[in-house]
Amino acid sequence: MAVRTADDPYGLDSLTLDGLRARPGAKWAGVDGRLAAWVADMDFPIAPAIRERLVELAATDVGYANWPRVYRSPLPELFAERSEQRFGWAPDVDRLHEVADVMQGVQVAVHHLSRPGDGVVVHVPAYPPFLATVAEMERRLVEVPAALVDGAWAFDHDELDARLRRNPARVLVLCHPHNPTGHVFTRPELEQVADIVTRHRLVVVSDEIHAELVHPGHPHVPFASLSTEVAARTVTVTSSSKAFNLAGLRWAILHSGSDELHSTLRALPQHYLGAPNVLAVAATNAAWRHGDGWQQAVAARLDANRQLVGNLLAEHLPAARYALPDATYLAWLDMRACGFDGDPAATLRQRGVELSPGPRFGPHGEGFARLNFATSAAVLTEIVAAMGRGEAAES
Ligand SMILES: Cc1ncc(COP(=O)(O)O)c(C=O)c1O
């Protein structure tokens, strides 16, 4: 149970290792007692308004929702308002489709917008399910690699253009903000990408699930907001789940600027994509109406933690290279100079810490691992100290 104090009204610092290890979810229950810094869930207690609403519903009624249509909740309208207020992008409510999760939305889009053998562009390192999607759907992977430029992760958009000239493709899956590097694509970058995809006639499937997790100085610009023409070749998929730590509740939303996908989705029988989960809808509603205070406290903590990661690495694992992420609570660690093998997460597992293995993010992930720093400063300190603990013994 979260312990709330005047200094810590949301209990973000009240985490204990015993409490975390008693949790039933994958992050802590799936790691055999190791310190969990892998899957993208935050350790923080959820916003009080969400918890209260979920408890209230559980205590009264989790039957069919009283919405005008059971397969469409009130969230599309709220999402459109929120998006306009936060990001200056007003999605067309009629083009919003609720889905169970973001990856379902991405796969629905890739399935309907391309065929086996078609090229699908992905920036690498990539969120592993993107790579799995391309392989499972028998599309041809067109990779655009990341590089460290002036201490920050960046993507070479001229290289995107050059690769598309050699490898025609139908779809670009844009991870914006980018997991695992934490790169936030700036407006000029997005404009360059938009120019390229327009010339090569690609549809962009923009996964914006991390949009509300940007750090100061890195505003999120929805890809579809660039222009009417760009919107017409963009499918945006997002959710409340990352920003409010609700991944298990399963709710996401897809906006199809593409007429082709929109008419395909409209033509589906009503229940084909399933109906939204009443608890997820209630939680998202509470998050969006009453979650600002919690969200600001979490944002401040994540901003402090991304700095803390750098300090802790300098102390405990100085050979690791780390570029401050512009967004998210994920640190993409270059451990090639640490003397580990191609999969540093395997060595770190022996030291009692679970990170996400870099090679799962594609071949460019050899020698890398992804650290999730969405936890209290005390737990983060334990995690990075444990990562470095074998150093003295092994050197
Ligand atoms: C970029 C990105 N997309 C999608 C997901 C998964 O979302 P969902 O569980 O809604 O499919 C994640 C989860 O970490 C993610 O980082």
Side-chain angles (χ1 to χ4, degrees):
M1 197 59 194
V3 180
R4 303 198 210 164
T5 62
D7 287 344
D8 182 21
Y10 301 103
L12 308 184
D13 282 325
S14 73
L15 307 173
T16 63
L17 284 178
D18 284 348
L20 291 168
R21 287 184 167 128
R23 290 185 180 181
K27 186 177 183 188
W28 284 91
V31 293
D32 274 340
R34 291 186 290 280
L35 295 166
W38 63 297
V39 68
D41 278 325
M42 299 195 265
D43 286 342
F44 307 125
I46 57 172
I50 301 177
R51 189 173 49 244
E52 282 154 25
R53 185 71 184 121
L54 289 175
V55 168
E56 184 186 323
L57 271 181
T60 53
D61 189 356
V62 285
Y64 287 114
N66 185 29
W67 304 323
R69 292 172 292 170
V70 73
Y71 49 85
R72 189 171 174 95
S73 86
L75 290 182
E77 281 73 15
L78 286 183
F79 170 75
E81 275 170 34
R82 187 173 180 88
S83 176
E84 183 160 20
Q85 275 164 13
R86 297 215 153 195
F87 305 124
W89 173 52
D92 178 346
V93 175
D94 288 339
R95 288 173 174 268
L96 288 168
H97 303 264
E98 292 170 279
V99 286
D101 55 50
V102 165
M103 279 316 300
Q104 182 192 26
V106 169
Q107 292 201 340
V108 163
V110 172
H111 178 73
H112 288 289
L113 293 168
S114 64
R115 294 176 189 284
D118 284 347
V120 172
V121 183
V122 180
H123 291 98
V124 290
Y127 176 58
F130 292 161
L131 301 175
T133 294
V134 174
E136 283 168 20
M137 293 185 152
E138 298 177 350
R139 271 48 171 182
R140 190 171 29 83
L141 180 66
V142 181
E143 295 180 347
V144 185
L148 268 180
V149 179
D150 299 333
W153 287 107
F155 294 95
D156 183 344
H157 305 302
D158 292 329
E159 184 60 26
L160 166 66
D161 199 6
R163 289 191 185 206
L164 282 173
R165 265 186 254 125
R166 294 196 299 270
N167 306 285
R170 298 274 300 173
V171 174
L172 162 65
V173 178
L174 185 69
C175 188
H176 173 44
H178 185 258
N179 172 4
T181 63
H183 177 68
V184 171
F185 293 87
T186 62
R187 184 180 290 277
E189 275 188 281
L190 294 169
E191 281 169 352
Q192 192 184 351
V193 172
D195 173 54
I196 294 166
V197 295
T198 305
R199 276 193 281 108
H200 292 276
R201 300 200 182 150
L202 271 68
V203 177
V204 174
V205 177
S206 189
D207 173 343
E208 304 191 3
I209 193 171
H210 293 279
E212 292 195 10
L213 288 164
V214 288
H215 296 299
H218 299 282
H220 174 73
V221 179
F223 194 74
S225 72
L226 291 181
S227 70
T228 320
E229 294 71 32
V230 172
R233 57 173 66 254
T234 306
V235 176
T236 308
V237 195
T238 189
S239 173
S240 53
S241 64
K242 282 298 137 198
F244 287 95
N245 209 24
L246 305 171
L249 287 178
R250 313 273 81 195
W251 177 87
I253 196 157
L254 177 153
H255 181 267
S256 183
S258 145
D259 285 340
E260 187 187 342
L261 181 65
H262 178 54
S263 36
T264 304
L265 293 179
R266 281 210 125 169
L268 292 174
Q270 278 171 4
H271 294 279
Y272 190 87
L273 290 175
N277 175 332
V278 78
L279 294 175
V281 171
T284 299
N285 207 321
W288 288 350
R289 289 186 193 279
H290 308 293
D292 285 359
W294 179 92
Q295 195 174 29
Q296 280 157 20
V298 167
R301 170 50 44 85
L302 295 180
D303 188 18
N305 278 7
R306 72 186 173 130
Q307 314 283 347
L308 181 58
V309 167
N311 300 341
L312 291 168
L313 286 172
E315 186 181 339
H316 298 285
L317 208 52
R321 285 179 79 199
Y322 161 63
L324 216 57
D326 307 335
T328 81
Y329 44 80
L330 305 168
W332 182 237
L333 304 181
D334 178 352
M335 300 181 132
R336 287 173 295 183
C338 290
F340 305 155
D341 64 7
D343 181 10
T347 306
L348 297 172
R349 197 168 294 130
Q350 286 162 9
R351 296 180 181 186
V353 193
E354 191 74 26
L355 272 71
S356 301
R360 291 205 191 141
F361 295 74
H364 300 270
E366 291 272 322
F368 285 76
R370 192 190 73 178
L371 169 83
N372 175 341
F373 57 77
T375 192
S376 65
V379 173
L380 182 58
T381 303
E382 291 241 14
I383 287 171
V384 183
M387 286 167 61
R389 206 156 284 148
E391 287 299 270
E394 280 171 23
S395 57

PDB file of all heavy atoms in Angstrom, residues 40 101-103 127 130 175 179 207 209-210 241-242 250, ligand 1:
ATOM      1  N   ALA A  40       8.114  -2.604 -19.747  1.00  0.00           N
ATOM      2  CA  ALA A  40       7.768  -1.187 -19.582  1.00  0.00           C
ATOM      3  C   ALA A  40       6.492  -0.978 -18.771  1.00  0.00           C
ATOM      4  O   ALA A  40       5.473  -0.499 -19.267  1.00  0.00           O
ATOM      5  CB  ALA A  40       7.671  -0.508 -20.951  1.00  0.00           C
ATOM      6  N   ASP A 101      -5.318  -3.177 -27.633  1.00  0.00           N
ATOM      7  CA  ASP A 101      -4.001  -2.686 -27.244  1.00  0.00           C
ATOM      8  C   ASP A 101      -3.303  -2.110 -28.466  1.00  0.00           C
ATOM      9  O   ASP A 101      -3.786  -2.263 -29.600  1.00  0.00           O
ATOM     10  CB  ASP A 101      -3.168  -3.765 -26.541  1.00  0.00           C
ATOM     11  CG  ASP A 101      -3.026  -5.037 -27.349  1.00  0.00           C
ATOM     12  OD1 ASP A 101      -2.668  -4.938 -28.530  1.00  0.00           O
ATOM     13  OD2 ASP A 101      -3.256  -6.123 -26.795  1.00  0.00           O
ATOM     14  N   VAL A 102      -2.214  -1.449 -28.221  1.00  0.00           N
ATOM     15  CA  VAL A 102      -1.530  -0.732 -29.306  1.00  0.00           C
ATOM     16  C   VAL A 102      -1.000  -1.706 -30.353  1.00  0.00           C
ATOM     17  O   VAL A 102      -1.105  -1.476 -31.556  1.00  0.00           O
ATOM     18  CB  VAL A 102      -0.416   0.161 -28.730  1.00  0.00           C
ATOM     19  CG1 VAL A 102       0.535   0.638 -29.814  1.00  0.00           C
ATOM     20  CG2 VAL A 102      -1.044   1.353 -28.021  1.00  0.00           C
ATOM     21  N   MET A 103      -0.453  -2.829 -29.903  1.00  0.00           N
ATOM     22  CA  MET A 103       0.092  -3.765 -30.885  1.00  0.00           C
ATOM     23  C   MET A 103      -1.003  -4.361 -31.762  1.00  0.00           C
ATOM     24  O   MET A 103      -0.773  -4.648 -32.930  1.00  0.00           O
ATOM     25  CB  MET A 103       0.912  -4.864 -30.193  1.00  0.00           C
ATOM     26  CG  MET A 103       2.326  -4.442 -29.841  1.00  0.00           C
ATOM     27  SD  MET A 103       3.217  -3.531 -31.147  1.00  0.00           S
ATOM     28  CE  MET A 103       3.235  -4.720 -32.490  1.00  0.00           C
ATOM     29  N   TYR A 127      11.427  -1.656 -30.844  1.00  0.00           N
ATOM     30  CA  TYR A 127      10.570  -2.359 -29.893  1.00  0.00           C
ATOM     31  C   TYR A 127      10.331  -3.770 -30.471  1.00  0.00           C
ATOM     32  O   TYR A 127       9.829  -3.905 -31.600  1.00  0.00           O
ATOM     33  CB  TYR A 127       9.278  -1.550 -29.747  1.00  0.00           C
ATOM     34  CG  TYR A 127       8.227  -2.175 -28.883  1.00  0.00           C
ATOM     35  CD1 TYR A 127       8.482  -2.506 -27.562  1.00  0.00           C
ATOM     36  CD2 TYR A 127       6.946  -2.422 -29.389  1.00  0.00           C
ATOM     37  CE1 TYR A 127       7.504  -3.078 -26.767  1.00  0.00           C
ATOM     38  CE2 TYR A 127       5.958  -2.987 -28.607  1.00  0.00           C
ATOM     39  CZ  TYR A 127       6.249  -3.315 -27.295  1.00  0.00           C
ATOM     40  OH  TYR A 127       5.273  -3.889 -26.512  1.00  0.00           O
ATOM     41  N   PHE A 130       7.601  -5.038 -32.963  1.00  0.00           N
ATOM     42  CA  PHE A 130       7.554  -4.536 -34.349  1.00  0.00           C
ATOM     43  C   PHE A 130       8.291  -5.494 -35.271  1.00  0.00           C
ATOM     44  O   PHE A 130       7.831  -5.819 -36.367  1.00  0.00           O
ATOM     45  CB  PHE A 130       8.221  -3.157 -34.473  1.00  0.00           C
ATOM     46  CG  PHE A 130       7.495  -2.039 -33.784  1.00  0.00           C
ATOM     47  CD1 PHE A 130       8.169  -0.856 -33.483  1.00  0.00           C
ATOM     48  CD2 PHE A 130       6.161  -2.126 -33.451  1.00  0.00           C
ATOM     49  CE1 PHE A 130       7.528   0.196 -32.858  1.00  0.00           C
ATOM     50  CE2 PHE A 130       5.504  -1.090 -32.820  1.00  0.00           C
ATOM     51  CZ  PHE A 130       6.191   0.073 -32.519  1.00  0.00           C
ATOM     52  N   CYS A 175       7.948   4.801 -34.386  1.00  0.00           N
ATOM     53  CA  CYS A 175       7.777   4.694 -32.938  1.00  0.00           C
ATOM     54  C   CYS A 175       8.122   6.069 -32.381  1.00  0.00           C
ATOM     55  O   CYS A 175       9.287   6.434 -32.288  1.00  0.00           O
ATOM     56  CB  CYS A 175       8.700   3.617 -32.383  1.00  0.00           C
ATOM     57  SG  CYS A 175       8.379   3.273 -30.660  1.00  0.00           S
ATOM     58  N   ASN A 179      11.025   4.013 -28.661  1.00  0.00           N
ATOM     59  CA  ASN A 179      11.454   2.974 -27.720  1.00  0.00           C
ATOM     60  C   ASN A 179      12.392   2.059 -28.495  1.00  0.00           C
ATOM     61  O   ASN A 179      11.992   1.559 -29.543  1.00  0.00           O
ATOM     62  CB  ASN A 179      10.204   2.201 -27.254  1.00  0.00           C
ATOM     63  CG  ASN A 179      10.541   0.984 -26.422  1.00  0.00           C
ATOM     64  OD1 ASN A 179      11.685   0.716 -26.103  1.00  0.00           O
ATOM     65  ND2 ASN A 179       9.506   0.215 -26.084  1.00  0.00           N
ATOM     66  N   ASP A 207       3.099   4.934 -33.840  1.00  0.00           N
ATOM     67  CA  ASP A 207       2.809   4.450 -32.489  1.00  0.00           C
ATOM     68  C   ASP A 207       3.237   5.552 -31.518  1.00  0.00           C
ATOM     69  O   ASP A 207       4.422   5.803 -31.330  1.00  0.00           O
ATOM     70  CB  ASP A 207       3.598   3.151 -32.275  1.00  0.00           C
ATOM     71  CG  ASP A 207       3.512   2.628 -30.844  1.00  0.00           C
ATOM     72  OD1 ASP A 207       3.132   3.383 -29.940  1.00  0.00           O
ATOM     73  OD2 ASP A 207       3.863   1.446 -30.643  1.00  0.00           O
ATOM     74  N   ILE A 209       2.373   5.834 -28.217  1.00  0.00           N
ATOM     75  CA  ILE A 209       2.002   5.400 -26.858  1.00  0.00           C
ATOM     76  C   ILE A 209       2.824   6.127 -25.784  1.00  0.00           C
ATOM     77  O   ILE A 209       2.377   6.287 -24.657  1.00  0.00           O
ATOM     78  CB  ILE A 209       2.134   3.863 -26.720  1.00  0.00           C
ATOM     79  CG1 ILE A 209       1.457   3.344 -25.441  1.00  0.00           C
ATOM     80  CG2 ILE A 209       3.562   3.399 -26.779  1.00  0.00           C
ATOM     81  CD1 ILE A 209       1.374   1.822 -25.351  1.00  0.00           C
ATOM     82  N   HIS A 210       4.047   6.591 -26.136  1.00  0.00           N
ATOM     83  CA  HIS A 210       4.891   7.278 -25.145  1.00  0.00           C
ATOM     84  C   HIS A 210       4.741   8.811 -25.204  1.00  0.00           C
ATOM     85  O   HIS A 210       5.516   9.520 -24.559  1.00  0.00           O
ATOM     86  CB  HIS A 210       6.364   6.891 -25.349  1.00  0.00           C
ATOM     87  CG  HIS A 210       6.651   5.443 -25.040  1.00  0.00           C
ATOM     88  ND1 HIS A 210       6.843   4.979 -23.760  1.00  0.00           N
ATOM     89  CD2 HIS A 210       6.754   4.354 -25.842  1.00  0.00           C
ATOM     90  CE1 HIS A 210       7.069   3.663 -23.783  1.00  0.00           C
ATOM     91  NE2 HIS A 210       7.015   3.270 -25.035  1.00  0.00           N
ATOM     92  N   SER A 241      -2.239   3.775 -21.544  1.00  0.00           N
ATOM     93  CA  SER A 241      -1.636   2.733 -20.694  1.00  0.00           C
ATOM     94  C   SER A 241      -0.218   3.035 -20.235  1.00  0.00           C
ATOM     95  O   SER A 241       0.138   2.719 -19.106  1.00  0.00           O
ATOM     96  CB  SER A 241      -1.680   1.385 -21.410  1.00  0.00           C
ATOM     97  OG  SER A 241      -0.897   1.423 -22.582  1.00  0.00           O
ATOM     98  N   LYS A 242       0.622   3.618 -21.103  1.00  0.00           N
ATOM     99  CA  LYS A 242       2.006   3.881 -20.657  1.00  0.00           C
ATOM    100  C   LYS A 242       2.037   5.042 -19.674  1.00  0.00           C
ATOM    101  O   LYS A 242       2.639   4.950 -18.612  1.00  0.00           O
ATOM    102  CB  LYS A 242       2.927   4.221 -21.832  1.00  0.00           C
ATOM    103  CG  LYS A 242       3.398   3.091 -22.672  1.00  0.00           C
ATOM    104  CD  LYS A 242       4.238   2.071 -21.955  1.00  0.00           C
ATOM    105  CE  LYS A 242       3.760   0.742 -22.431  1.00  0.00           C
ATOM    106  NZ  LYS A 242       4.029  -0.425 -21.739  1.00  0.00           N
ATOM    107  N   ARG A 250      -5.770  -3.110 -20.871  1.00  0.00           N
ATOM    108  CA  ARG A 250      -6.059  -3.378 -22.280  1.00  0.00           C
ATOM    109  C   ARG A 250      -7.078  -2.422 -22.897  1.00  0.00           C
ATOM    110  O   ARG A 250      -8.256  -2.708 -23.019  1.00  0.00           O
ATOM    111  CB  ARG A 250      -6.575  -4.826 -22.475  1.00  0.00           C
ATOM    112  CG  ARG A 250      -5.799  -5.916 -21.779  1.00  0.00           C
ATOM    113  CD  ARG A 250      -4.658  -6.419 -22.616  1.00  0.00           C
ATOM    114  NE  ARG A 250      -3.521  -5.529 -22.501  1.00  0.00           N
ATOM    115  CZ  ARG A 250      -2.476  -5.535 -23.322  1.00  0.00           C
ATOM    116  NH1 ARG A 250      -2.426  -6.346 -24.331  1.00  0.00           N
ATOM    117  NH2 ARG A 250      -1.492  -4.713 -23.138  1.00  0.00           N
TER     118      ARG A 250
HETATM  119  C1  LIG B   1       6.355   1.615 -28.431  1.00  0.00           C
HETATM  120  C2  LIG B   1       5.416   0.645 -27.807  1.00  0.00           C
HETATM  121  N1  LIG B   1       4.350   0.242 -28.477  1.00  0.00           N
HETATM  122  C3  LIG B   1       3.472  -0.629 -27.952  1.00  0.00           C
HETATM  123  C4  LIG B   1       3.654  -1.127 -26.679  1.00  0.00           C
HETATM  124  C5  LIG B   1       2.711  -2.139 -26.137  1.00  0.00           C
HETATM  125  O1  LIG B   1       1.465  -1.609 -25.991  1.00  0.00           O
HETATM  126  P1  LIG B   1       0.242  -2.580 -25.840  1.00  0.00           P
HETATM  127  O2  LIG B   1       0.466  -3.405 -24.623  1.00  0.00           O
HETATM  128  O3  LIG B   1      -0.916  -1.646 -25.742  1.00  0.00           O
HETATM  129  O4  LIG B   1       0.203  -3.411 -27.084  1.00  0.00           O
HETATM  130  C6  LIG B   1       4.758  -0.718 -25.933  1.00  0.00           C
HETATM  131  C7  LIG B   1       4.974  -1.253 -24.587  1.00  0.00           C
HETATM  132  O5  LIG B   1       5.977  -1.048 -23.965  1.00  0.00           O
HETATM  133  C8  LIG B   1       5.661   0.193 -26.503  1.00  0.00           C
HETATM  134  O6  LIG B   1       6.737   0.620 -25.842  1.00  0.00           O
END
